[in-house]
Amino acid sequence: MGSNRELSRVSIDDLAELGAEAIVDQLRALENEKSALSARQARLAFALDLARRAEQADVGMPAEKLGAGVGAEIALARRESPAKGSRLLGLAKALVTEMPRTLAALETGQLDEWRATLLVRETACLSAADRAAVDEELAADAGTFDGAGDRTITAAARAAAYRRDPRTVTERAAHAATERYVSVRPAPDTMCYLTALLPAAQAVAVYAALSRAAVAARNDGDPRNDGDPRTRGQLMADALVDRTTGTPGGISGIGIQLVMTDRTLFQGDSEPARLSGYGIVPAGWARALLTGGTEGPAGDDSGRGIGGGVGKNLSFPVWLRRLYTAPTTGELTAMDSRARIFPAGLRRLIQTRDDTCRTPYCDAPIRHLDHVVPWHTGGPTAATNAAGLCEHCNHTKETPGWSAQPRPGPGRHTLELTTPTGHSYRSTAPPLPGTGPPDGVCRISPTAGTTDSGAKSSRERRRARHRRARALLHGRVEDRTAA
């Protein structure tokens, strides 16, 4: 490792000796090369779509289904999500067939891939002829966008599109309201971005209502607000939670799933936990979520429910569900459930194990539970033959030429996805809390000279902790039942 660092320092020193002017020239040349390679990728994506459509037509696939799965192939090859792959294919088609001047500008480095995407996006509602006319009008090789930023390019393309076909652009704006949605994505430090795409009038109204609520909270004369340290933004965020959940200062009746080790919950261990729908969270934060802001276990009335939450403004019931992992591999092996129907418990186990869509590079939420080997071809209904997928990836997997197989091994659940070209991509379930680094990652012993017997003792201690935790949980249930 030391030699690599020395090599890196020598390389940087050599580059610094080039001088500032030469460095800037190389930065610009590399940026031009990136743009040229993006144009090459667009042409290759278009060629792949043509080839795949021809193959599918030859085997009798209906015309409306031709091209199925091409976006997913592009995504896997470029290490992108399937949704991004579909957008890249759409960009390639538009550039090659309708916007040759924009493609030429991309090849020569006058535009980068993102700004070419902006031009394609803002002209998507136009006919092929009108789009080509806008492409000619805004030709980057004529210096149209020299020194222009993203907003300038977007505004120019939008104005040019409106001049060509004002009616279609207006209808597109009216149709956009049907694409409204709400999404959530993780942010640093156990925070999340809650995003809503709304019609302009409704979005402005929501923001104004939250703003008024924040002002009212400061001016209503309520003595509870005296000395309130919250900022206007914090007050607006709290008002959003209150009005959405219908519970002042908290959440009621909403199920969340927190995965942690017994050591983290009962022994104050620092092993992080995993919050489904978010990701990894600190151990102390996870314990506070279960104990109402205090460290250590809290009592409950049933042996399953634990009251409390994080901070004074969060209070909701939490149910403790036991998860069992193999001591050496970290594979999720069992899960207790109050449900009487086995498939419901199996669904929860798979969703907990996979966390997000199992297609490589896709982080979309799980919508479908899929038989890796289809049930109609003999695939069993078992955790080893199951994978959580998003809706798009599940439909893609059913496209002719695609296949998947579970791959056995000593580590976590693994499956292999094969595309119509024969390229294969492996997907391994994410590590659960307490299972250490993923397979293939070098495990560095904390103590020099650790022997196999030492590793065996560590496994035995881990098994003993699992047994003690299970005994403690069952003991609580028995005590409450007897009382």
Side-chain angles (χ1 to χ4, degrees):
M1 184 176 292
S3 60
N4 289 338
R5 290 177 178 173
E6 291 175 4
L7 181 61
S8 177
R9 284 197 294 270
V10 170
S11 178
I12 294 297
D13 291 340
D14 289 344
L15 292 175
E17 291 178 1
L18 294 174
E21 183 177 354
I23 290 174
V24 171
D25 288 342
Q26 285 201 25
L27 286 172
R28 182 56 180 269
L30 289 171
E31 191 64 30
N32 291 344
E33 187 173 345
K34 284 166 58 180
S35 295
L37 291 173
S38 295
R40 176 70 173 170
Q41 286 181 315
R43 293 186 185 279
L44 289 171
F46 183 74
L48 176 62
D49 184 63
L50 288 180
R52 187 66 69 232
R53 286 173 176 272
E55 294 172 0
Q56 293 171 345
D58 289 342
V59 297
M61 182 176 286
E64 64 273 12
K65 293 186 177 181
L66 295 180
V70 177
E73 287 189 79
I74 293 170
L76 288 168
R78 293 191 58 171
R79 300 190 179 99
E80 297 284 3
S81 70
K84 180 70 176 293
S86 296
R87 291 196 294 270
L88 290 169
L89 177 58
L91 173 68
K93 290 179 178 180
L95 290 176
V96 173
T97 62
E98 298 173 358
M99 303 184 75
R101 300 291 290 271
T102 301
L103 179 59
L106 183 61
E107 287 179 315
T108 57
Q110 296 171 78
L111 288 174
D112 60 20
E113 187 176 50
W114 170 242
R115 290 180 175 174
T117 301
L118 293 177
L119 290 172
V120 169
R121 186 184 68 187
E122 295 302 327
T123 57
C125 62
L126 300 178
S127 65
D130 285 338
R131 200 178 213 179
V134 172
D135 181 57
E136 184 74 24
E137 177 184 340
L138 301 180
D141 57 3
T144 305
F145 298 128
D146 288 347
D150 292 352
R151 289 189 178 183
T152 301
I153 291 175
T154 299
R158 191 172 295 169
Y162 186 80
R163 287 194 298 270
R164 290 287 169 181
D165 191 350
R167 179 178 178 180
T168 299
V169 173
T170 303
E171 290 175 349
R172 178 190 178 190
H175 176 73
T178 64
E179 300 175 352
R180 60 192 182 277
Y181 69 90
V182 177
S183 65
V184 62
R185 67 184 191 278
D189 303 324
T190 67
M191 301 291 282
C192 277
Y193 296 105
L194 178 67
T195 304
L197 179 65
L198 300 171
Q202 294 180 10
V204 171
V206 169
Y207 187 86
L210 295 175
S211 182
R212 284 197 301 268
V215 173
R218 287 295 181 87
N219 300 329
D220 63 2
D222 190 333
R224 292 176 298 176
N225 293 328
D226 292 345
D228 193 333
R230 292 180 293 174
T231 65
R232 179 173 176 273
Q234 291 169 341
L235 287 166
M236 292 175 67
D238 293 344
L240 175 64
V241 174
D242 293 350
R243 295 184 178 202
T244 303
T245 63
T247 304
I251 303 173
S252 177
I254 304 297
I256 64 171
Q257 186 156 268
L258 187 65
V259 184
M260 67 172 71
T261 66
D262 55 337
R263 302 182 302 280
T264 297
L265 179 58
F266 295 112
Q267 300 175 10
D269 194 82
S270 60
E271 177 69 34
R274 190 176 78 194
L275 179 64
S276 296
Y278 175 83
I280 299 300
V281 296
W285 186 93
R287 283 191 294 272
L289 183 67
L290 295 178
T291 62
T294 60
E295 291 285 343
D300 67 314
D301 294 329
S302 66
R304 294 179 184 267
I306 296 179
V310 175
K312 297 180 180 179
N313 293 326
L314 185 58
S315 179
F316 56 95
V318 178
W319 285 268
L320 190 64
R321 190 184 303 280
R322 295 180 292 278
L323 308 175
Y324 303 110
T325 59
T328 56
T329 66
E331 176 70 86
L332 186 62
T333 58
M335 180 177 188
D336 75 338
S337 173
R338 290 179 296 171
R340 297 181 179 179
I341 302 175
F342 172 74
L346 180 59
R347 284 197 298 271
R348 282 194 292 269
L349 185 143
I350 296 164
Q351 289 171 332
T352 301
R353 180 196 71 191
D354 293 348
D355 196 34
T356 59
C357 177
R358 284 291 298 278
T359 299
Y361 315 113
C362 183
D363 292 327
I366 293 174
R367 299 297 183 211
H368 294 171
L369 295 185
D370 176 62
H371 285 74
V372 179
V373 177
W375 180 82
H376 61 80
T377 62
T381 302
T384 54
N385 188 48
L389 298 176
C390 67
E391 183 175 359
H392 180 275
C393 289
N394 192 28
H395 291 323
T396 297
K397 177 179 169 289
E398 300 303 318
T399 303
W402 290 74
S403 64
Q405 289 288 335
R407 291 303 178 201
R412 301 185 304 277
H413 181 263
T414 299
L415 62 87
E416 186 173 73
L417 182 67
T418 304
T419 68
T421 59
H423 291 84
S424 295
Y425 304 86
R426 287 207 171 195
S427 169
T428 301
L432 289 165
T435 59
D439 297 333
V441 175
C442 178
R443 288 173 167 81
I444 301 176
S445 173
T447 304
T450 298
T451 63
D452 291 341
S453 61
K456 182 177 180 181
S457 298
S458 177
R459 289 194 296 270
E460 291 174 350
R461 288 194 298 270
R462 190 157 54 243
R463 292 192 186 101
R465 284 196 297 268
H466 278 278
R467 288 194 295 270
R468 287 196 299 272
R470 287 196 293 270
L472 176 60
L473 288 170
H474 288 298
R476 282 187 171 187
V477 174
E478 292 172 359
D479 291 345
R480 298 299 181 186
T481 303

